[in-house]
Amino acid sequence: MRQKWTKPSSLLLAFLASTSVAIADTPAKSPAWDLGDPHLNVVPRTPEEVARIRKVTAPTTGFAAAQKFEERPAGAATVRVTPDANAFSHPSGNITFEDELQFKVGNGLFRKLWVSSPSSTLASDGLGPLFNARSCQRCHIKDGRGHPPETSEDSAVSMFLRVSIPGGPEDRIAEIEDYIATLPDPTYGTQLQDFAVQGHPSEYRLAITYDEEVVTLDDGTEVSLRHPTYEAADLGYGPLHPDAMLSPRVAPQMIGLGLLEAVPAADILANADPDDADGDGISGRPNVVWSQEFDRPMLGRFGLKAGNPTIKEQSASAFVGDIGISNPLFTAGSGECTDLQADCLAAIHGDGDDREYEIDAEGLDLVTFYSRNLGVPARRDVDDPQVLRGKQVFYDTGCTSCHQPSFVTHRLEDQPEQSFQLIWPYTDMLLHDMGPGLADNRPEARATGQEWRTPPLWGIGLTEQVSGHTYFLHDGRARSLLEAILWHGGEAQPHRDTVAALPTDDREALIRFLESL
């Protein structure tokens, strides 16, 4: 029987009291989550460490110089900036020689091109039958940010559409308060695949059209925003369910994931303010999801709506959904094939040999290790006067209400690279209502159709160098950092309007600060 995890244990409360960790005050109707960090081997913090952490992560009030250690956004795991497209592909700066070998083997699996079954290369067969890409690297190009197709002839390999239909009360997960029940589309599952192995039709073709809207800022600057319309064209297996909800997703960058995974859930939850009790207009909420690996509710950390709790689970779900590769957490050799895709289910798959699954536990662990240890490049120009002015504008505008500058990770017994690091990711890892302009109108666990997880900003200034473009937001609609800011709505509408009203020099300084991250 599943245990309900929505009430704090007396042991946890005693620990928090003894270490002076504050949980945000919320009305009684708001759930007090007791989620813990079952994926980590944690050494508990001492009261002295808690006091030091509170001091070092307190918001700064001085902008005449950079803060101490600010140039090292990943702490000791920070890597130097290389002047090429490989800037996101280096291992943690504090990794050991032995573990760097493990990192490189994981990189090989991350880059490996899978082939359809049967194949003489048994360690690489099992692709599909339906898939979005033949490797992890094909979506996360150079471990960076994906992009929407440039033209109707361009491949959508680093972008796809998630799909679901509304569920009923019987489909809720009772252990997760405010869980929004959804179900896979009966024909197409939980995401649409635009490729298929030989002899099988693909599910669809992603079609995007844009309408341009010119926005005039207070200083007279005109900025054009493109409003996308998405279509699942050329459906290969009949119509979608009439209540199908589609959500466009561009592959996010990969850096710093292990450090985000090592942030204490209690520290993230302490910043949640679902009922805006402090009256600042910001109502961050945690996404809480059911973990396949631990068979319990956990804090959602990864994915654009924080729909996965760990790097391993994120990797495993991508293997089965994006490439059609079975693994110890998602065991279907047919990948995303549904009961209404009979030929797909009946196709030859690559599982059942010595591996048991198409990627076995060892392979999944190696990919997880690689993903956990992709290093964050060092900051640039932290003491530049324009960067410092832009940082002050960032704070004064209220951007730090969601893009929280810093955390300190857990002290860990078996992950030295991520253990007890002061990091600067600029995210609170919570869900925020971003308004109807960015809404996909598709819920995910506790996330509503207008909520998105605050994306980390570290490395954002290197996007063009790594990925060859400057497309931002969950679907790449923004072609610049300024466009991305101007798309902010909902809770962020006042902050967006403040940026639109800034003097030209302050706005340029703000962008310069973001480019330094």
Side-chain angles (χ1 to χ4, degrees), residues 422-493:
L422 170 62
I423 63 172
W424 305 76
Y426 287 90
T427 174
D428 60 6
M429 299 181 71
L430 297 172
L431 300 170
H432 294 275
D433 184 339
M434 296 302 293
L438 288 179
D440 65 351
N441 299 310
R442 177 186 174 273
E444 186 172 334
R446 299 182 77 234
T448 71
Q450 290 193 175
E451 288 182 315
W452 300 94
R453 183 203 66 162
T454 305
L457 297 182
W458 50 14
I460 199 168
L462 295 172
T463 298
E464 186 170 17
Q465 176 182 315
V466 171
S467 302
H469 65 76
T470 55
Y471 297 147
F472 302 106
L473 301 177
H474 66 279
D475 57 359
R477 70 178 68 184
R479 294 161 292 191
S480 68
L481 291 171
L482 180 56
E483 284 187 37
I485 294 169
L486 294 176
W487 270 108
H488 283 50
E491 297 174 40
Q493 186 71 42

Side-chain angles (χ1 to χ4, degrees), residues 8-72:
S9 68
S10 57
L11 179 61
L12 175 68
L13 290 175
F15 172 73
L16 293 178
S18 68
T19 57
S20 303
V21 176
I23 297 180
D25 292 330
T26 55
K29 65 180 180 179
S30 299
W33 300 103
D34 175 14
L35 298 173
D37 294 302
H39 60 297
L40 300 172
N41 292 319
V42 175
V43 178
R45 292 173 175 173
T46 66
E48 292 77 17
E49 287 175 338
V50 170
R52 285 168 50 206
I53 290 166
R54 183 182 296 111
K55 182 178 181 179
V56 78
T57 58
T60 187
T61 57
F63 302 95
Q67 291 170 261
K68 193 174 183 180
F69 308 122
E70 190 178 3
E71 75 282 1
R72 298 174 65 81

Side-chain angles (χ1 to χ4, degrees), residues 3 106 124 180 211-212 238 248 262 280 297 330 363 380 401 445 463 496 503:
Q3 181 177 354
S124 298
I180 305 170
D211 294 316
E212 298 281 347
D280 67 351
F330 300 94
R380 284 83 55 212
S401 298
T463 298
R496 175 261 181 220

Side-chain angles (χ1 to χ4, degrees), residues 212-215 222-226 479 483:
E212 298 281 347
E213 174 197 6
V214 176
V215 175
E222 291 186 344
V223 181
S224 184
L225 304 182
R226 56 180 186 176
R479 294 161 292 191
E483 284 187 37

Side-chain angles (χ1 to χ4, degrees), residues 177-252:
E177 188 167 336
D178 297 329
Y179 185 87
I180 305 170
T182 60
L183 295 170
D185 181 273
T187 302
Y188 291 94
T190 60
Q191 73 186 59
L192 294 170
Q193 285 88 15
D194 50 355
F195 294 102
V197 300
Q198 187 174 6
H200 295 265
S202 62
E203 290 189 321
Y204 85 123
R205 175 178 60 84
L206 176 61
I208 312 174
T209 57
Y210 294 103
D211 294 316
E212 298 281 347
E213 174 197 6
V214 176
V215 175
T216 303
L217 308 184
D218 283 20
D219 67 353
T221 300
E222 291 186 344
V223 181
S224 184
L225 304 182
R226 56 180 186 176
H227 292 254
T229 300
Y230 299 97
E231 178 189 0
D234 303 334
L235 289 166
Y237 296 86
L240 288 159
H241 189 280
D243 296 326
M245 302 173 286
L246 300 176
S247 178
R249 304 292 176 90
V250 163

